[in-house]
Amino acid sequence: MPMTSFYDLEMTDLSEWLKARKQPAYRARQIFSWAYQRDARSFADMTDLPGALREELTASFAYGPLEPQAVSETEETAKLLVEFHDGKRVECVRISMDGSYTACVSSQVGCAVKCAFCATGQFKCERSLTATEIIQQVVTINSLGERVRNVVFMGMGEPFHNYANVVKTVRRLILPEAFGMSPRRITISTSGVVPAIHRYADEGCPRSWRCRSTPAATSSGGS
Ligand code: SF4
């Protein structure tokens, strides 16, 4: 049974956990800031937390970037093959363009849509990724040393076949206490799942959330 991942926690979950340990309320923001904005590689690196709390966090939650199974780089891209607890693997890509970085993330292992031009479409959809597994891709790409400014859901999988987890991820990306990204910097690329496009438009999210229905493949896939 894998440990609970830190990235599973919403701010309210972490606040409750901390409250049960009689920690001050501001600790939740402090820990989120270390995790999502300051790219601490471990709880031990969160140096302004009490030592005992760092130890308890370490004993309680899985944390940190994934260990890439393979990395291939060009001048503009770094493509990472990452593996999850059940051995399933996906690719995510850091793209460098005009002085800023973009994370291209996967939302599923394989894809049921089977677009003819896409390598991912040749594989059956084995499962959807959890929000934590998508968030971990961004954390892992940030751990390469340059923080990303944009996130595009153009890796493996049809994002709107994994609607709830994709929306949960986007909410974490734009949460000021977490990644704090501008909604303008997030693009969901879909093969055209029309009911989900309408649902997304009605989520009550900032207007600038974008949803694109033009296929634009990465090297292995891309909705
Ligand atoms: S382009 Fe996107 S939707 Fe089409 S098969 Fe590839 S991953 Fe799936």
Side-chain angles (χ1 to χ4, degrees):
M1 188 73 178
M3 257 173 135
T4 300
S5 170
F6 171 81
Y7 307 105
D8 286 346
L9 304 178
E10 301 292 353
M11 280 277 284
T12 48
D13 302 323
L14 182 59
S15 296
E16 285 300 312
W17 187 89
L18 289 161
K19 192 174 168 190
R21 285 152 185 83
K22 305 203 182 321
Q23 290 291 325
Y26 65 79
R27 291 272 185 240
R29 281 174 188 266
Q30 203 176 1
I31 295 168
F32 259 44
S33 167
W34 273 113
Y36 294 111
Q37 297 172 13
R38 301 169 74 182
D39 300 326
R41 295 187 75 90
S42 70
F43 291 119
D45 289 344
M46 300 180 183
T47 48
D48 53 6
L49 300 183
L53 177 59
R54 284 186 265 165
E55 283 172 21
E56 193 163 5
L57 285 161
T58 303
S60 303
F61 303 111
Y63 177 89
L66 297 160
E67 190 63 46
Q69 302 299 301
V71 181
S72 63
E73 294 186 69
T74 67
E75 209 166 299
E76 291 89 17
T77 64
K79 185 164 68 175
L80 313 181
L81 179 68
V82 295
E83 183 174 291
F84 300 112
H85 66 89
D86 59 356
K88 301 298 182 199
R89 295 178 169 192
V90 299
E91 288 180 340
C92 53
V93 186
R94 185 185 74 179
I95 303 161
S96 163
M97 196 184 296
D98 300 330
S100 70
Y101 291 90
T102 296
C104 174
V105 296
S106 294
S107 55
Q108 297 184 300
V109 183
C111 184
V113 180
K114 302 195 179 308
C115 300
F117 60 86
C118 172
T120 300
Q122 312 309 308
F123 301 102
K124 66 172 184 169
C125 183
E126 296 191 52
R127 70 172 174 86
S128 288
L129 299 184
T130 63
T132 286
E133 290 167 334
I134 305 171
I135 292 164
Q136 281 180 302
Q137 294 172 60
V138 182
V139 169
T140 303
I141 288 173
N142 276 341
S143 76
L144 296 177
E146 306 287 349
R147 292 185 62 74
V148 298
R149 197 167 170 216
N150 312 290
V151 172
V152 295
F153 288 77
M154 290 187 189
M156 299 165 74
E158 162 51 63
F160 281 156
H161 285 179
N162 187 14
Y163 186 89
N165 289 317
V166 166
V167 170
K168 187 174 175 183
T169 301
V170 174
R171 291 191 187 284
R172 189 73 55 83
L173 292 171
I174 65 173
L175 184 73
E177 295 83 0
F179 291 97
M181 296 179 68
S182 164
R184 291 174 189 280
R185 300 282 172 190
I186 298 164
T187 300
I188 295 179
S189 180
T190 174
S191 57
V193 184
V194 175
I197 295 172
H198 290 303
R199 187 177 166 195
Y200 193 69
D202 291 340
E203 281 287 344
C205 303
R207 278 176 177 272
S208 46
W209 285 36
R210 285 188 296 169
C211 176
R212 207 171 84 167
S213 60
T214 308
T218 63
S219 59
S220 64
S223 291

